[in-house]
Structure formats: structure tokens, C-alpha cells
Amino acid sequence: MPNEAGSDGGDAIPSLRGRPSAGHGPLQGRRRSRRVFATTTTRAEKARALRGLGALGGLAGLLVALMLLPTACTAGVGARDAAGWFESEPEGLSTSGVPQRSRILAADGSVLATFFYQNRVDVPLDRIAPVARRAVLAIEDSRFYQHGAIDSQGTLRALASNLSNGQVTQGGSGITQQYVKNLLLTTADSAAEMRAAKEVSAARKIRELRFAVALEKRYSKDEILRRYLNIAYYGDGAYGIEAAARHYFSKPAARLELGEAALLAGVIRYPYAYDPVHHPGAARERRDIVLRRMAELGWLDHDAAEAAVREPIGLRVQHVQSGCVTSSAPFFCDYVQREILTNTAFGDTPQEREKLLKRGGLTIRTTLDWRAQKAAQRAVDGHVPRRNSAGKAAAEAMVEPGTGKIKAMVVDRRLGPDRERGKTWINFAADASHGSSIGMQAGSTFKAFTLAAALDEGLPFGTRLMAPRSYTPVGYRDCKGRTRSDPDSELRNSADGEGGRTFSLVTGTHHSVNTFFLALEKKVGLCETVEMAERLGMRQANGQALEQYPSFTLGFNPVSPLRLAAAYAAFGARGRYCTPIAITQVTVGDGHRMKVPGADCKQAIDKGVADAVNYVLSGVLTKGTAKGLGLGRPAAGKTGTVDNFSAAWFAGYTPELAAAVWVGDPRGGYRFPMDSLCMDGRCYGAVFGATIPAPIWQQSMAGALSDTSAGSFHRPPAHFFSRGSGEDKVKVPDVRGMRPGEAVARLRAAGFTVGVGSPVRSDKYKKGTVAETSPPAGSAEPGDTITLRISKGPGPRGPGGGGGEHIPVPPTTPPTTLPTLPPDLAGSPPPDQRENPA
């Protein structure tokens, strides 16, 4: 806060050179008042003169207060000793609450954003250059270490000097008194407290003096000086010497040099008049006064002072913005800000939480991973540019499986008013509580919850259901037992699905068949499907519970990418769900750590069930609706196309990272569908989950995981294979008569696993070639094991000729361990022997 002129200064301010001292002449009879200012007096000179008058009055007021002190004290305490009352510690004395700026940091410690009511960084005395301390003492209170709370000698000397000069050349308040005044102004929480801190009265002066006496008892001189240097206002929005040094010179206070220190010391008296950015001439004059005062006191060599006087002020101004608008991760930053402002862990009321953020000097460490954040932003901006011609938008959230840490959060916009093209205040990646978004319908990404519910009930992969071309939803009940059938509606397959035949859990998911999942949801139970989604953290983006209707599995509930990413992350973590978190640690300005909300991780579904989900969803990237959009490492996911192409999604994951991508129109997807989308000269036709969202996911995940070793999914429990792999049956190639290596290659290319059984005698096939396969040529499911039997050549001929020994056919069940292959079959292990069968 700016110091009160005169009463809170310490040394001379520049005189009005070449001008008479400003003042009011006495009135004599009916004579007109003497003109205070000449017509040629400049506005700046008038302002300086008025400040001089105010300071002179303040100094006189201080003297009056001292003279009235015995009377005031006696009147206030009755018979008690006045001196004892004055030296007792006053009520309400508090040195806490000085606004400190708060910082949000990424996981690597880099700064995401700064928040402040006053731009201040509190530092210890040893992080303030000694020359800066000397400069302030020289101009403000050179006898600070010699006198007590009140420097009566200095006050009387200053009053006499100022009265004789007709203007303020010396101030009367010492540093402790200045600190008290600044403290009362800075910590005022109400208009009444602000008025009390500013009023010009003997009562206010006495109050400040009592505080000063108490502080001198409570703290050492060094500590009072430190507090003063950290609370003083240095102009142009810089509070405290550390923020001032960074603002004006782009360096910490510990590295201030002589001229810089003198400049800052000079600003303190009148920060609005000596601000070097807006008043460089006045600031330089004031700096020179400080330098010469230091020399006069013997604290600086005269030659060094004059050398510094000849130097320019040399500013290197650095502006610090408050808030998330200029952050490199604006929507993640905004999410963190809203977490602080809305979570009762950080204060009981909104006012308390805002005060904590903007005044508490918090250091907020977050989960943001710059590699993931930058990769996601590049991918989103590359596919859906910020100012695209179609007005579409995209958002993505990334969550770490097993911890809930939000690694990235991006929107293809800048943070700002929606009326400006390419900007928005709405965080489409988050819920309403943390981004104002009401969410978007999730489409077929919700089918993963129906799949998980079916597997949780023990249904094997080979479970098959008829998927008609249209479906009338009857026979459904919600979790309260209410009928949720709709016999008058007819649900059909979306364009990325198909119907009219039977599908298994595996193929129905790979093809994303709507009517199959409606039938599966009915078989499993609508309530059980909803409860599975809720176990995995799903709620509507507005915070309300999920609505329960037959089309639940088709994703009509509006949700956020963040919640969807966290749910899919649970699959990657083998069923362990964690509430998404952005904050890992909050340290308050005084050094103590606040308790922050945790991820509250829990085992939401059985590990084996999660492994089975991973097995099925892995196929979406290799043979399903997102075929060819894998990562070259174990990954799984699900496309989502909302009806009428009003939006498109992709949610996917690896064991290390999960992400969900939404693409749609902020103006309303049904009003502006993506059925014939052309954007910035590129036309897509109808947009499915695999058209734009899946490529964004693929690019961002590849970038985010570029320096991370690939993990593997676990093989599902055997009972899920009790009806086969769930894949559609395909023709087994006839490899009889081929050399073993050729036969193995042919069968593996068709999607089968190959084993070798015992050799057999064969009159038809040459020795060393394949004589038989088990099962024989015909049809089987991809992934089934085909056992080869190699010919030993013709068998011995018995009486009557022909025939040979009978070789029993082994069972078709895949062996748990395969026999060692001959050398010509050496190569990569068959798929069912790898850790990741998908």
C-alpha cells in the first residue's frame, strides 16, 4: 500500500525547484485569498505540492497525538497508569493475512499460473541484497537500529526542518510505524476497517503507535525490517521487494545492484509518483537522492554514489498476469482453480476459498504432465483447429490408471469470452462444477459398461445373441423396479453397426451393434448395467445420477471426457477405479501443508473381469470399428457415434494411460450435425468415432507415451473361453502336403495358433510334410489351435497289402504347453503363449 505522505516517509522528497513553496496564505479582512498556484504551475507540480502539504499536516498530527497521549490514555483507562496502558499489547494486533500470490505448478515444478490480489512474494531477509536493505534504511529510517518504536528525536527534528522550509523535507515515522500502517491497510477486510486505517486523526496515530510498541517487543529489528520490505508497495502492481525486483529488473531481490536498490528504495515514499515505468524522470531523481543520502551517512563511497548517479535506470520490465488466461495449459489451470474455489477442503465458504487462493501464498502442485499435455493439444488443434470454418470443437482428457492423476486436459480453444472467435470460458473436458459444461451424450462408448456387466455376471466370450435390424425396448426395469419399457419406439443400428444375425460378446463389441447391446443389456439387467457404470465413477456432467432407460447402453447420458477417461482407466488398472485428481500438494505461505482430497482408489470390479474387458476392447483397434488406429503396443478402446451424427467420441487406454476424446458442435449437435462435414477445406462426409476422435486419440497417446515402456494386459481367466474365443468362425486352410514352415505361416496368417502332434505314417504325403491336421480342414474360430502331424513316410505293408498302423487323433482342446517345434518352424511364439493374447 502507498505510504501516507510525510507521516510515513523518512527523508527528503525533491523540492519544487524554481518555484515558491505551495501553501495557503492567511485571510485578512475582506481581502481575497492569495492564489495558491500560479497560472504557469504544471499539474505535476500542483500534485507534488499538495502531497507536501498533506505530509506536513500528518507530521504535525503525529506531534499533536504525542502531546495528547497522556490525556487520551488517562481518559481511556481511568486510574491505571497511562504509560503502562500505552506499552501493553493492544487487542486485535495480528501480523497474519498479508496477501501473498499463489502459484499453480505442473508435476515437474514449472509454473502454470499465478493468482494474486496483490502481486507479492514473501522472502526471508537473507534473500534481500544487503545493498537494498541499506538503501531503504538510508532514505526511510537511518536510525532504525538505534531507536525504539518511536523515534521522538527524529520526529521533532523532521517537524522543525519541515516548518522552517515550508515543505516536507523529512518524514517523521520510523520503519516500524510505516509497517504498522501498511499492515492495517493491507489486512483490512471490511470498508469500516479500511476507513479506520486511513482516517486522519490523533486516535488513529495513537493506535498505530501502540501497535508499533507491541511489535518492537514481539519481533527483532531484523524481522520488522524483513516484514516491512515485503509489505511495502513499489508501484505498477508490485508489492514487496521481491515482486518489485522481478517486475522492474527481471531478477530476484537477492541479486539487486546498487542503482537498482536505490531506485526501489526511493519508490516506497510515493509509489504512484516515483513509479519508474510511468514516471522515469521522477524515479531517477529520487534514486539519486537515495544514493547521495547513503554517501552522506557514510554507508557508500561518494565516488561510487556519483558513478551510480550517472547510470540510466535500466529497466527490464516483466509483467506477471493473474489467472489462467495466459497459462500454457489454460483449461487444466481453470480446472485446478475451480477445485480450490468449490471444494470445502479449502474453506467453508466461497469467500474463504477465494481469499485463500488470491491472498494465501499457496504453492499448488498438480498432476499435469507436459509431454501428455502438449501431445494432446497438438492432436486436438491439428484435427479441429481453433477457428475452424465449421464451428466444431474438440476436447480431450488424459488420466493415469491406478492413480487417477489427470495428466492432460485440452480444448481446441483459448480461454476467454465466447464472443471472440476461437475462445470459450467453457471447459468441454470437465463437468459443470469444474468447467461449466453440461456434458455431451457419450454414444457407443457406454457399451463398454454393458460389456463389463455381462462379463461380471460370468457370461463367456462365446455368448451369442440375435441382433435384429430394429429393436423394440420392452422388458426393462430400473434400479427402483420401475418398468422402463417403451413399446412404441423402435431403436435401430447406427451406421457403424450392423444387424440381422447373431453376434458374440466379442464380435458384437467389435462391430458396435446397437441392437445386440440392447439385447445384452436386457439379458444382464438395466439396473446392473447402470450400477456398473456408477461403480466406475460415471455421473452426468451436471453432477446428477445417470438416467435409466433402455437406451442407456447407447450413451444418451451427457457426460464429460474426464469422467469417461477415468472410467476407462479403471479397465487399464485391472478394475481399480480412482477419482480423477489434479492437485497433489498445497503448501501455504507459512510453510505448512494443507490436506488435499485424494483419489480414493478402490477395486470397482474383479481383476479377471477387467482383463476380459481389455481382451475384447483390444480387438476394436485390430479388427473392429477402429481397425488400424492402434499404437503399436497393447491398447484397447471403443468408438462412439451419437445418433444423427450429433457428436463423435473415442475412449481408449493402455496399462499406463487412458484418454477420452469428444468432437462436436458447441452450438448444439442436433442443430449442427456432422453428417456431411467439411472443415477448413477437408471433407469427411459423415463423422464416426473412428473418423476424427480416434485419430486424435492415437496421435496424442503416441506422443504422451513416447518415452514410456509398454506394459501388457493380462490374459483373461479360462472360464471366459468356455464357449470359444467369441470370434466368428472362419475356414481352416488345407495345409496337408506342405512343408511345416509353410503350413505354420499359412495358419498363423489366418489367425490360428499352431501346435505339433506326434508324427504319423502316410502313404499319400511325403515324409517331412504335413499329413494331418486336428481339427481337419473346415471352420474354426480365430485363435483356435490347429495341431499339425508330420508324415513319417509310408507304413510297413502287411498281408493283403495296403493300410498302415492306426494313429489316434488327439483332442482338439488346445494344449496348455506346446511341443517343441522342429528347427524349420522357429519363429515368434504363437499368440496364446504371449502375455497379451489380444
Side-chain angles (χ1 to χ4, degrees), residues 89-278:
E89 185 162 304
E91 294 181 1
L93 175 60
S94 174
T95 58
S96 61
V98 176
Q100 304 288 332
R101 71 183 189 185
S102 297
R103 298 180 305 155
I104 298 178
L105 309 181
D108 64 359
S110 57
V111 178
L112 286 178
T114 304
F115 291 86
F116 52 81
Y117 166 70
Q118 294 178 350
N119 179 23
R120 176 182 286 104
V121 181
D122 199 88
V123 292
L125 200 61
D126 60 9
R127 284 175 54 190
I128 301 172
V131 68
R133 293 179 245 162
R134 290 195 298 271
V136 171
L137 289 171
I139 200 65
E140 294 295 326
D141 190 352
S142 61
R143 298 182 63 255
F144 173 67
Y145 282 92
Q146 282 74 50
H147 64 70
I150 304 170
D151 184 8
S152 56
Q153 176 183 336
T155 300
L156 293 172
R157 184 182 63 248
L159 179 61
S161 173
N162 295 337
L163 289 174
S164 64
N165 283 282
Q167 63 181 18
V168 177
T169 58
Q170 295 183 30
S173 293
I175 279 178
T176 305
Q177 293 169 246
Q178 292 185 52
Y179 169 63
V180 168
K181 183 180 187 304
N182 278 288
L183 182 64
L184 294 174
L185 284 169
T186 301
T187 58
D189 285 328
S190 65
E193 290 179 354
M194 185 66 72
R195 285 194 301 271
K198 288 182 175 181
E199 69 177 354
V200 180
S201 68
R204 191 207 88 195
K205 272 299 174 186
I206 293 172
R207 178 174 177 241
E208 290 179 2
L209 290 173
R210 286 194 68 205
F211 279 167
V213 170
L215 289 176
E216 289 269 355
K217 291 181 179 180
R218 184 184 295 185
Y219 300 117
S220 67
K221 286 285 190 178
D222 281 350
E223 177 61 15
I224 293 172
L225 177 61
R226 183 196 74 80
R227 288 168 176 266
Y228 172 70
L229 293 173
N230 278 297
I231 203 173
Y233 181 51
Y234 291 81
D236 205 32
Y239 291 83
I241 195 166
E242 178 72 11
R246 296 183 188 183
H247 174 63
Y248 291 120
F249 304 113
S250 297
K251 63 171 61 175
R255 291 171 43 208
L256 287 171
E257 298 176 9
L258 175 61
E260 298 164 342
L263 182 77
L264 295 185
V267 170
I268 294 176
R269 172 76 66 78
Y270 296 117
Y272 296 108
Y274 297 132
D275 162 9
V277 171
H278 300 95

Side-chain angles (χ1 to χ4, degrees), residues 728-748:
D728 288 336
K729 290 188 176 183
V730 296
K731 182 177 178 59
V732 179
D734 187 354
V735 296
R736 290 174 297 177
M738 294 182 181
R739 300 293 299 176
E742 182 184 1
V744 169
R746 177 74 65 84
L747 290 168
R748 285 181 175 171

Side-chain angles (χ1 to χ4, degrees), residues 46-47 67 84 207 350 375 401 403 483 573 604 606 697 738 746 753 798:
K46 292 175 183 178
M67 290 187 295
R207 178 174 177 241
T403 69
T483 298
D606 182 75
W697 176 87
M738 294 182 181
R746 177 74 65 84
T753 298

Side-chain angles (χ1 to χ4, degrees), residues 397-691:
M398 289 182 157
V399 177
E400 184 176 66
T403 69
K405 293 180 178 179
I406 304 170
K407 292 295 186 177
M409 182 178 290
V410 301
V411 176
D412 72 324
R413 297 286 193 273
R414 295 190 183 279
L415 190 63
D418 298 75
R419 64 178 178 272
E420 297 181 34
R421 188 181 174 195
K423 293 184 177 182
T424 183
W425 290 118
I426 300 174
N427 184 353
F428 297 116
D431 284 355
S433 61
H434 287 69
S436 302
S437 172
I438 59 173
M440 295 74 67
Q441 290 186 351
S444 295
T445 58
F446 259 47
K447 291 173 181 173
F449 304 128
T450 310
L451 171 66
L455 295 168
D456 193 49
E457 291 193 2
L459 298 184
F461 296 138
T463 301
R464 292 183 177 272
L465 298 173
M466 181 63 188
R469 296 190 183 280
S470 64
Y471 191 94
T472 300
V474 294
Y476 294 84
R477 291 185 180 275
D478 64 16
C479 292
K480 292 184 178 180
R482 297 173 296 189
T483 298
R484 289 301 187 187
S485 302
D486 189 1
D488 297 326
S489 68
E490 189 176 65
L491 301 175
R492 295 182 176 274
N493 292 303
S494 60
D496 58 349
E498 54 189 270
R501 64 185 181 91
T502 62
F503 292 87
S504 69
L505 292 186
V506 173
T507 56
T509 303
H510 291 175
H511 293 273
S512 195
V513 185
N514 284 356
T515 55
F516 170 83
F517 272 94
L518 287 164
L520 182 62
E521 181 184 58
K522 182 177 179 179
K523 181 178 180 66
V524 173
L526 171 60
C527 179
E528 286 74 11
T529 301
V530 172
E531 288 178 340
M532 174 58 70
E534 290 175 341
R535 284 157 63 184
L536 295 170
M538 295 306 302
R539 294 181 69 83
Q540 294 187 71
N542 61 11
Q544 297 179 8
L546 298 168
E547 294 189 0
Q548 304 177 30
Y549 293 97
S551 55
F552 178 89
T553 189
L554 306 183
F556 73 86
N557 275 284
V559 300
S560 68
L562 178 61
R563 280 197 181 271
L564 193 62
Y568 274 61
F571 296 140
R574 304 191 72 198
R576 183 175 173 81
Y577 173 76
C578 301
T579 303
I581 58 169
I583 299 173
T584 58
Q585 180 182 301
V586 175
T587 305
V588 187
D590 60 9
H592 84 270
R593 292 185 183 180
M594 298 187 67
K595 185 177 181 180
V596 299
D600 191 26
C601 298
K602 58 187 176 184
Q603 196 68 33
I605 58 176
D606 182 75
K607 290 182 179 180
V609 172
D611 294 337
V613 172
N614 300 338
Y615 173 82
V616 177
L617 294 187
S618 294
V620 173
L621 293 167
T622 57
K623 59 193 77 171
T625 53
K627 182 179 180 180
L629 291 169
L631 302 174
R633 62 196 291 159
K638 184 70 187 73
T639 54
T641 305
V642 183
D643 59 323
N644 296 325
F645 300 101
S646 58
W649 290 74
F650 189 85
Y653 56 96
T654 70
E656 301 80 30
L657 189 64
V661 179
W662 163 82
V663 176
D665 199 306
R667 299 168 294 179
Y670 289 101
R671 290 176 55 214
F672 301 95
M674 298 189 292
D675 54 351
S676 56
L677 178 64
C678 286
M679 183 167 56
D680 293 351
R682 183 176 180 180
C683 292
Y684 297 89
V687 175
F688 300 94
T691 308

